[in-house]
Amino acid sequence: MIMQDLLSQFAIYGDFEEAGPFGGGHINSTFRSSWRQAGTRLRYLHQRINTQVFRHPEAVMENILRVTSHIAAGLAASGSRDISRQVLSVVAARNGRPFVIDGEGGFWRSYLFIEGAYSREVTETPEEAAFLGAGAGRFQKQLVGLGGPRLHETIPDFHHMERRYQRFREALDKDAFHRAASLGAEIDYMEANAERGAVLIRALRSGKIPERICHNDAKMNNLLLDKKTGEALAIVDLDTVMPGSALFDTGDLIRTVCNRAAEDERELSRVVFEPAYFRALISGYLSESAGFLTEAEKRLIPESGRSFAQIMGLRFLTDYLEGDHYYHIARPEHNLDRCRTQIALMRSMDAQWEEITRLAADAA
Ligand code: ADP
Ligand code: GN1
Ligand code: MG
């Protein structure tokens, strides 16, 4: 009932049927509702934005509106059909604003629910990996021409490896939850890789690779695929869309697509980097992005996957040290398990590094 009151503030017409929790991300809370509109059932997606993480939700919505309307206009100009399945459509509130604030100060937004789509936690086939790669490459290409002022940085220094290390070391020094003593192996591994992991942020800072608008959370389950054709439709979860490097998205996709174990898998022998998925992913990705990526960006593709496993592992470990206040957890050592899978993935990549770099060079 409270949910229904809240939803009635969005410009959604017809008769409310039902609403319930949906999806399983680590940050926001997501719901789906269904309505009868003049004899047809329509569904919507609603999210309460985590304002501990996104301190300026109005800025988040401003970015999202600019990016989605730019993509929709580009699709319309190219004669594309079914545009509202290829890009998120924000549903405004009745007062015209792109969000609603509830009685407790909660910040809500709504989108059209994209029907006939699915997202994956684990990739099922190399063909699917190719579709995912093409979807991410297309998104980057669609944003190359976005004009106007620089987008807001919704989370400053989000993928700044050096700052992530500073924060990690602070958490380690404080050790507020007395957890550091049991983390020797993970801490040592992260320290041993600190230098190498900074390659992307340094390349960006020195201008070796260009700043671009990117998604910044382009893990596989944020890409919707078409149930009929398997092709990529829209990329969702746009809160972090902001300036960064294309390689941030490429890296996050490599990290999630080429490892077919869950992000919180406890049996680490299952965490394996799969070259066949990597080859398919990169060929799909480059089919859309080869035209605008620079040579320096292309050369860093393998390293981006390794760096993204690293930065996520480091963030999970930091959150574990800080008492699990950032990521939603479902069990006491959840963040530690997540950290361990990322380290296992880096190790698996290292064991196959020659092949990985050869595959990337062949594809480019
Ligand atoms: P979170 O921040 O919790 O990860 P997401 O925005 O990624 O939230 O949404 C959770 C899941 O819901 C996504 O992985 C995707 O499968 C699905 N989803 C998100 N937006 C839509 C939409 N507009 N239409 C259909 N499914 C969606
Ligand atoms: C979070 O919201 P979700 O689950 O898509 C996180 C990402 C991490 C990811 C790890 C804003 O994404 O950076 O890569 O978890 N999002 C934020 O699975 O921190
Ligand atoms: Mg998500």
Side-chain angles (χ1 to χ4, degrees):
M1 186 58 200
I2 293 168
M3 187 71 180
Q4 203 179 332
D5 284 350
L6 174 88
L7 298 189
S8 70
Q9 295 181 56
F10 285 100
I12 297 177
Y13 303 100
D15 309 304
F16 174 79
E17 279 190 338
E18 59 181 1
F22 186 78
H26 299 337
I27 308 291
N28 295 318
S29 308
T30 304
F31 300 83
R32 183 174 66 182
S33 71
S34 105
W35 303 68
R36 289 213 69 81
Q37 297 186 346
T40 301
R41 193 180 72 147
L42 275 182
R43 298 197 285 187
Y44 294 84
L45 193 102
H46 314 279
Q47 289 180 315
R48 192 179 62 229
I49 300 186
N50 182 330
T51 46
Q52 292 298 324
V53 170
F54 297 101
R55 299 280 177 176
H56 304 288
E58 292 90 348
V60 168
M61 292 314 294
E62 218 178 286
N63 280 359
I64 292 178
L65 281 170
R66 275 183 63 198
V67 161
T68 54
S69 50
H70 176 81
I71 294 176
L75 289 167
S78 67
S80 193
R81 297 179 58 208
D82 223 7
I83 293 170
S84 57
R85 289 177 75 230
Q86 297 180 61
V87 60
L88 284 176
S89 308
V90 174
V91 178
R94 289 182 190 274
N95 63 14
R97 294 202 291 186
F99 53 84
V100 162
I101 295 178
D102 70 19
E104 293 156 8
F107 193 105
W108 291 81
R109 55 140 178 258
S110 297
Y111 294 116
L112 296 184
F113 183 80
I114 296 174
E115 298 289 350
Y118 68 99
S119 67
R120 283 269 188 246
E121 296 301 323
V122 168
T123 325
E124 298 288 338
T125 60
E127 191 191 19
E128 204 170 71
F131 284 140
L132 288 162
R138 191 176 318 136
F139 179 78
Q140 291 175 359
K141 188 168 69 179
Q142 286 166 328
L143 293 178
V144 166
L146 179 78
R150 197 162 180 268
L151 291 179
H152 302 289
E153 285 191 40
T154 56
I155 303 180
D157 298 328
F158 191 47
H159 293 311
H160 194 305
M161 187 72 93
E162 293 155 340
R163 302 257 154 83
R164 292 290 182 187
Y165 266 93
Q166 273 171 15
R167 172 99 186 244
F168 162 67
R169 288 169 188 144
E170 281 161 24
L172 202 53
D173 284 346
K174 277 200 194 120
D175 194 19
F177 291 80
H178 311 292
R179 291 177 172 177
S182 60
L183 301 175
E186 290 77 16
I187 294 166
D188 288 351
Y189 188 82
M190 286 302 175
E191 285 300 351
N193 282 278
E195 271 299 300
R196 179 168 172 186
V199 59
L200 295 184
I201 195 71
R202 286 184 187 153
L204 195 55
R205 195 161 54 218
S206 69
K208 195 173 139 202
I209 57 173
E211 180 178 282
R212 298 182 189 278
I213 297 165
C214 58
H215 184 283
N216 286 297
D217 189 6
K219 60 177 182 178
M220 153 178 56
N221 69 9
N222 286 328
L223 272 142
L224 298 183
L225 301 171
D226 192 320
K227 271 187 189 159
K228 281 211 185 101
T229 64
E231 285 178 57
L233 289 167
I235 187 158
V236 302
D237 212 349
L238 296 172
D239 304 306
T240 49
V241 84
M242 61 180 156
S245 159
L247 293 168
F248 293 170
D249 293 353
T250 319
D252 220 352
L253 208 56
I254 293 171
R255 165 185 88 88
T256 49
V257 169
C258 306
N259 155 36
R260 301 183 55 247
E263 191 173 65
D264 57 359
E265 173 63 59
R266 276 187 271 202
E267 179 47 57
L268 293 179
S269 65
R270 295 205 184 116
V271 181
V272 177
F273 188 89
E274 310 247 14
Y277 285 75
F278 177 68
R279 183 177 27 205
L281 175 71
I282 296 308
S283 76
Y285 173 64
L286 289 171
S287 72
E288 294 282 350
S289 65
F292 67 85
L293 289 181
T294 64
E295 288 309 311
E297 285 175 308
K298 287 179 193 163
R299 268 198 304 276
L300 280 169
I301 286 174
E303 203 62 46
S304 74
R306 191 182 188 279
S307 287
F308 264 68
Q310 181 175 349
I311 201 164
M312 296 310 157
L314 186 70
R315 289 174 59 197
F316 291 138
L317 187 58
T318 305
D319 198 36
Y320 183 67
L321 285 165
E322 290 177 348
D324 310 302
H325 64 87
Y326 188 88
Y327 295 107
H328 295 320
I329 56 164
R331 53 178 190 257
E333 299 204 331
H334 213 158
N335 275 317
L336 181 55
D337 292 338
R338 290 168 176 151
C339 162
R340 288 179 171 150
T341 63
Q342 301 309 296
I343 292 178
L345 185 59
M346 290 170 74
R347 290 190 192 282
S348 174
M349 286 188 83
D350 286 348
Q352 306 174 78
W353 194 250
E354 222 169 285
E355 184 180 3
I356 293 171
T357 49
R358 187 177 48 76
L359 287 173
D362 289 351

